[in-house]
Amino acid sequence: MARPFIALILAGLFYIVLCHIPFPGVDVSALSRSQQLSGFSVTARFSVLALGVTPLLLAAGLVECFKLFFFRINAFRGAATPHNVTEMVVRIGALLLAAFQSYGLAIALSQANIVTLERPVVVWTTVASCLGSTALLIFISERIRWQGLVGGLWFLLLLPDLLDLPNNFSLISELLRTGRISEIHLMASIAFTIASVYAIIFCLKSWSSLLASRSLNAGVARGPDYAIMVWPPYLTQIVLSLMLPLFFHLLPAEEPLDSAHIKRVATVAWAVIMPIFTFLYIIKFSVSRRRIQKPTYTAFAMIAATQIAVILASNIFSEFLVLPLSGMAIIVAVTLFFSLDQLQTEQNMKVTAKIGRPQQK
């Protein structure tokens, strides 16, 4: 158990150090004078990790979508895509996305008043810095894996939210002191967070028990895969980010749509599409059976309902409450640390079995 925790700590320290290294040519003193906000996210905005894990998450998400939709075809043919092939596709895709995104960022930086270098130099150094940092994040994420999760990817995705927690708690304290929020708001925020954590843990335990019983009946030793809890919300977000602009562009331009209407459409579309991805994971783990049994439908309904409830409630409560973590961040955090706890339990059982096993002479 010490090795995963040490790997996470080292990855976190490495991430923090990189987030405090600004782009070449950025005037840090001018940046500190122009930025009125504070917090880790503001510091990282002009660092070599300005893109964060966005290119890697987008590339991995697109590959995950492809794997989900074509899983039955590959299973029917008796073929499977080699793991090293999918990893290579994710790496190339992440680097290409980082190149495109960093070029746009470089153009924006070159037009700001916080850069001391010439525009061509700013463009090349910014693109090179973003490509290098993305390559390092790919290397880190691939070194931390357990329980069916690319633990490094989700930990790096969660890390900015965790590092912003002190700033968020400070903001909550200031709002309480000035009377802008009451103790009732604070208690509601705490109650929502605790209820979300318990609901997610209950879903993860039920899913783990279901997979364990399936593996036992099939006579196959197979560990739990918790990707079903974390991937569907992000896959839905990726699909909507690609589809909604096209949808609104094709609408007749009789009246301009306001932001509230766009937000309502996006919320309804998200609530409809997200269970589809959750059900695709259910199909993925039930493909070896002739039909999906009732316990699997129950697990699907429970997981999908929890994902929708936590994220939508978080979006609603954030309008009048101050939440330390968003709904998506809560799901990722609970899933990540629950999988770590399960890993520790499995390792303890293996050690106990090894100690209790009689040595052969």
Side-chain angles (χ1 to χ4, degrees):
M1 183 59 185
R3 292 183 61 184
F5 266 120
I6 293 175
L8 290 180
I9 292 173
L10 292 177
L13 292 176
F14 184 77
Y15 191 95
I16 293 172
V17 170
L18 288 181
C19 283
H20 285 83
I21 301 176
F23 283 117
V26 172
D27 189 350
V28 180
S29 59
L31 177 62
S32 61
R33 291 193 302 268
S34 62
Q35 295 296 312
Q36 300 297 326
L37 301 175
S38 61
F40 177 80
S41 58
V42 177
T43 304
R45 190 179 302 170
F46 297 94
S47 70
V48 294
L49 280 184
L51 298 180
V53 295
T54 302
L56 178 57
L57 181 67
L58 183 55
L62 293 175
V63 172
E64 191 73 12
C65 286
F66 180 84
K67 289 165 60 178
L68 282 177
F69 281 107
F70 291 94
F71 180 80
R72 272 198 174 275
I73 297 177
N74 289 335
F76 178 77
R77 293 176 177 177
T81 305
H83 184 66
N84 57 348
V85 174
T86 58
E87 279 192 348
M88 183 60 64
V89 172
V90 171
R91 294 169 192 165
I92 296 175
L95 291 175
L96 289 176
L97 289 170
F100 283 111
Q101 293 175 346
S102 60
Y103 180 78
L105 179 62
I107 297 299
L109 269 179
S110 63
Q111 297 173 353
N113 296 324
I114 57 174
V115 180
T116 59
L117 299 176
E118 297 294 330
R119 179 172 177 173
V121 179
V122 172
V123 171
W124 284 107
T125 55
T126 302
V127 171
S129 300
C130 290
L131 285 176
S133 61
T134 301
L136 289 174
L137 293 182
I138 293 173
F139 177 81
I140 294 173
S141 66
E142 291 179 353
R143 296 302 178 275
I144 308 176
R145 294 176 180 271
W146 64 85
Q147 302 293 355
L149 286 175
V150 183
L153 171 62
W154 298 109
F155 177 72
L156 293 174
L157 178 68
L158 180 65
L159 195 55
D161 293 309
L162 296 179
L163 295 174
D164 260 338
L165 278 178
N167 189 58
N168 293 338
F169 287 136
S170 176
L171 175 61
I172 294 174
S173 177
E174 181 64 20
L175 293 176
L176 278 173
R177 186 185 65 82
T178 57
R180 296 177 62 182
I181 61 173
S182 63
E183 287 79 4
I184 297 178
H185 291 86
L186 179 61
M187 294 302 296
S189 176
I190 295 174
F192 166 75
T193 304
I194 293 175
S196 300
V197 170
Y198 273 97
I200 296 168
I201 290 177
F202 181 78
C203 289
L204 291 172
K205 286 185 176 180
S206 301
W207 178 245
S208 179
S209 300
L210 178 63
L211 289 186
S213 62
R214 290 287 181 88
S215 300
L216 183 63
N217 294 334
V220 179
R222 181 180 185 179
D225 193 327
Y226 300 121
I228 189 174
M229 183 60 70
V230 293
W231 263 125
Y234 283 96
L235 295 180
T236 306
Q237 194 175 32
I238 291 172
V239 170
L240 289 180
S241 66
L242 298 175
M243 292 177 56
L244 281 182
L246 179 62
F247 172 75
F248 288 117
H249 178 73
L250 296 177
L251 287 179
E254 298 178 356
E255 295 182 2
L257 297 175
D258 58 350
S259 58
H261 183 71
I262 295 176
K263 186 176 181 180
R264 286 193 295 267
V265 172
T267 301
V268 173
W270 186 91
V272 171
I273 295 176
M274 198 277 299
I276 297 176
F277 283 108
T278 305
F279 190 70
L280 287 175
Y281 276 99
I282 293 291
I283 294 176
K284 176 181 177 181
F285 292 109
S286 305
V287 73
S288 59
R289 293 179 171 268
R290 299 180 64 88
R291 62 185 180 88
I292 302 177
Q293 297 182 344
K294 185 178 179 180
T296 310
Y297 280 117
T298 304
F300 158 70
M302 183 170 52
I303 293 173
T306 300
Q307 291 167 331
I308 293 175
V310 170
I311 295 176
L312 291 187
S314 171
N315 294 338
I316 294 173
F317 290 158
S318 61
E319 298 293 333
F320 55 91
L321 293 178
V322 180
L323 300 175
L325 291 174
S326 65
M328 284 191 176
I330 292 174
I331 290 177
V332 173
V334 175
T335 304
L336 194 63
F337 291 108
F338 180 84
S339 63
L340 272 174
D341 180 71
Q342 293 295 106
L343 179 62
Q344 181 183 17
T345 303
E346 289 184 5
Q347 289 182 348
N348 291 340
M349 292 176 61
K350 290 180 181 179
V351 171
T352 304
K354 186 176 181 179
I355 294 176
R357 187 183 304 162
Q359 297 182 356
Q360 297 179 355
K361 295 184 179 181

